[in-house]
């Protein structure tokens, strides 16, 4: 009787217990599960990040600047022109690189800010990549109205190239450019010989320039 009870117990255990799979069987099971999951897995759409807004109003320079810093992975800088406290870009010897200045420019464009001064002296790492868009933003959107820029300082911006100086020349000559500019500092910037006649002519005929370095 005891032997029969033990055999009955073993048969019940076999019925409810699956045999442990071999290494090959386990790998096959994993492959089947992977293919099943891959068929059920949908395409993940990357979320579209929109700049912050306040009701129906366009984003301010501060919100636009901070949004650009977050999406570009750059460190925000406490500049008065992007906080709305000044119309002067005062970044003297601020060790800025192109991405820093492009972030500031995105904030200025988003808030519709027109600069009166731009002081970038000592930022030796800035190149045409950021300087040209900044200068292009200083043109007035209306062709018959001059820009409000009064002072431009690119002293020691040694990486400023041909396109930057060509844009400066256009800014001095265009009717919607810096007609009221009072001070221009290009000290330490190499000026290519082909640009000498145009830049010198623009400076010589400018109606308001008082200081040129």
């Amino acid at each position: 009787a005891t032997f029969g009870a033990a055999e009955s117990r073993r048969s019940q255990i076999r019925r409810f217990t699956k045999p442990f799979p071999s290494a090959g069987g386990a790998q096959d099971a994993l492959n089947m599960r992977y293919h099943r999951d891959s068929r059920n897995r949908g395409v993940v759409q990357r979320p579209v990040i929109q700049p912050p807004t306040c009701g129906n109003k366009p984003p301010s320079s501060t919100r636009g600047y901070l949004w650009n810093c977050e999406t570009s992975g750059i460190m925000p800088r406490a500049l008065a022109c992007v906080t709305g406290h000044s119309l002067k870009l005062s970044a003297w010897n601020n060790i800025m690189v192109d991405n820093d200045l492009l972030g500031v420019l995105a904030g200025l464009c988003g808030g519709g800010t027109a600069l009166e001064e731009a002081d970038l002296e000592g930022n030796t790492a800035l190149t045409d990549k950021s300087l040209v868009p900044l200068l292009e933003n200083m043109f007035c959107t209306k062709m018959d109205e001059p820009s409000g820029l009064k002072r431009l300082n690119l002293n020691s911006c040694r990486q400023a190239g041909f396109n930057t100086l060509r844009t400066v020349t256009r800014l001095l000559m265009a009717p919607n450019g810096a007609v009221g500019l009072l001070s221009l500092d290009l000290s330490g910037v190499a000026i290519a010989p082909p640009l000498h006649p145009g830049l010198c002519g623009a400076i010589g005929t400018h109606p308001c320039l008082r200081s040129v370095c």
Side-chain angles (χ1 to χ4, degrees), residues 30-128:
L30 289 175
N31 290 338
M32 292 178 61
R33 181 174 180 180
Y34 172 78
H35 290 302
R36 181 191 63 196
D37 293 345
S38 63
R39 288 194 303 269
N40 295 333
R41 190 184 300 119
V43 178
V44 179
Q45 297 290 342
R46 185 176 181 180
V48 179
I49 303 176
Q50 298 292 342
T53 57
C54 181
N56 295 325
K57 298 180 180 179
S60 66
S61 58
T62 305
R63 291 197 299 273
Y65 175 59
L66 294 176
W67 171 77
N68 186 272
C69 289
E70 182 178 356
T71 55
S72 302
I74 58 178
M75 184 69 68
R77 296 171 182 263
L79 298 174
C81 62
V82 295
T83 59
H85 294 87
S86 175
L87 296 178
K88 301 177 181 180
L89 172 55
S90 181
W92 176 81
N93 204 22
N94 215 332
I95 318 178
M96 299 180 77
V97 296
D98 286 331
N99 285 341
D100 295 323
L101 186 56
L102 289 174
V104 173
L105 180 59
L108 296 176
C109 293
T113 304
L115 292 175
E116 293 181 353
E117 292 187 12
D119 186 357
L120 298 173
E121 180 179 349
N123 292 279
T124 58
L126 295 178
T127 68
D128 289 354

Side-chain angles (χ1 to χ4, degrees), residues 164-178:
T164 295
L165 293 168
R166 184 171 60 179
T167 309
V168 170
T169 304
R170 288 178 45 234
L171 189 66
L172 294 175
M173 299 180 64
N176 62 330

